[in-house]
Amino acid sequence: QDSTTGQFSLLSVGDVVTQGVEMDFTARPTANWDIFGGFAYVDTEIKDLDRAPCSPAQRVDPAGECAIFGYQDVRGEGMPYSPEFKFTLSTRYMVPLDMSFDLALGANYRWQDDVLYAIDQDENKEQESFGVLDLSIGLMDDGGRYEVNLYVDNVLDEDYASAILTNNIFNSAATGALAYDQYLSRDAERRVGIEMRYFWL
């Protein structure tokens, strides 16, 4: 993103190395209890980008390369939108009832490490690590035809941004104003709802 005009343009980073490991698991402690989970470690490194764009905040430092050259060397830095660690854990427990349906209890927790939302490495565009907990309780037809779920997503009302960009309208070098836009998704706040499903078998 051009910090002056706000326009976006394509920029080739030349060479990037990505390495890591992912693991997923499934467990069934009892006939009615399922547990699912996953873990990911991803390490990214920019190998070839010595003329990366600069953000307004990076141009403020008079001794920095952004103020001197108007660009910066980000070789050895990480790629944007790529948290180093991610973790998920889900569970579902079925409670048999003396009826034509059963009770289903569910929980899901997902966590991710700090994530940077710009290739310019501006620390103000970094989202701190966060975790989100979802809970649900539902009724499932024994024949597998329908289910009704009451859910609460983001139970702890964890606030997090899905993107952070420079606000070019309110940025001002003269006044020292350094403004940013944070984009919040629907999942970035607590949400309660009812979900109904019907399956044609």
Side-chain angles (χ1 to χ4, degrees):
Q1 183 187 21
D2 188 294
S3 61
T4 303
T5 65
Q7 299 296 313
F8 290 90
S9 59
L10 292 177
L11 178 67
S12 175
V13 297
D15 186 19
V16 175
V17 173
T18 301
Q19 58 187 351
V21 61
E22 293 186 19
M23 294 182 292
D24 297 303
F25 69 88
T26 301
R28 176 166 285 182
T30 69
N32 298 329
W33 186 17
D34 293 320
I35 301 175
F36 313 93
F39 169 82
Y41 165 73
V42 179
D43 177 61
T44 64
E45 183 181 355
I46 299 171
K47 291 291 189 179
D48 184 18
L49 185 56
D50 57 357
R51 287 177 174 263
C54 298
S55 72
Q58 293 169 322
R59 297 177 188 272
V60 171
D61 180 8
E65 57 183 331
C66 284
I68 297 174
F69 305 110
Y71 56 82
Q72 60 179 321
D73 186 348
V74 296
R75 289 176 293 187
E77 302 291 347
M79 286 290 288
Y81 292 89
S82 181
E84 190 173 13
F85 295 98
K86 296 180 74 173
F87 171 79
T88 61
L89 181 64
S90 301
T91 183
R92 192 174 200 183
Y93 187 78
M94 300 296 299
V95 181
L97 302 177
D98 293 330
M99 302 178 183
S100 60
F101 50 82
D102 295 327
L103 183 68
L105 305 176
N108 177 72
Y109 182 77
R110 61 188 184 279
W111 177 90
Q112 73 169 47
D113 202 2
D114 301 344
V115 60
L116 187 65
Y117 287 133
I119 203 166
D120 59 27
Q121 310 296 314
D122 184 346
E123 61 182 14
N124 298 305
K125 297 176 183 176
E126 182 178 79
Q127 168 62 53
E128 295 180 350
S129 61
F130 63 90
V132 177
L133 174 66
D134 303 329
L135 298 175
S136 67
I137 181 171
L139 299 175
M140 297 187 63
D141 173 35
D142 289 342
R145 298 295 297 271
Y146 68 86
E147 62 179 89
V148 180
N149 291 293
L150 171 65
Y151 64 85
V152 183
D153 287 346
N154 198 347
V155 175
L156 304 178
D157 202 21
E158 181 73 22
D159 186 28
Y160 61 93
S162 56
I164 303 175
L165 302 175
T166 298
N167 185 309
N168 298 284
I169 297 176
F170 297 105
N171 266 306
S172 172
T175 63
L178 300 171
Y180 295 85
D181 290 328
Q182 292 193 13
Y183 293 82
L184 306 179
S185 69
R186 182 186 68 171
D187 298 328
E189 61 182 1
R190 185 185 298 115
R191 189 173 73 256
V192 180
I194 297 178
E195 179 185 63
M196 293 175 285
R197 295 182 179 183
Y198 185 85
F199 303 95
W200 282 266
L201 302 177

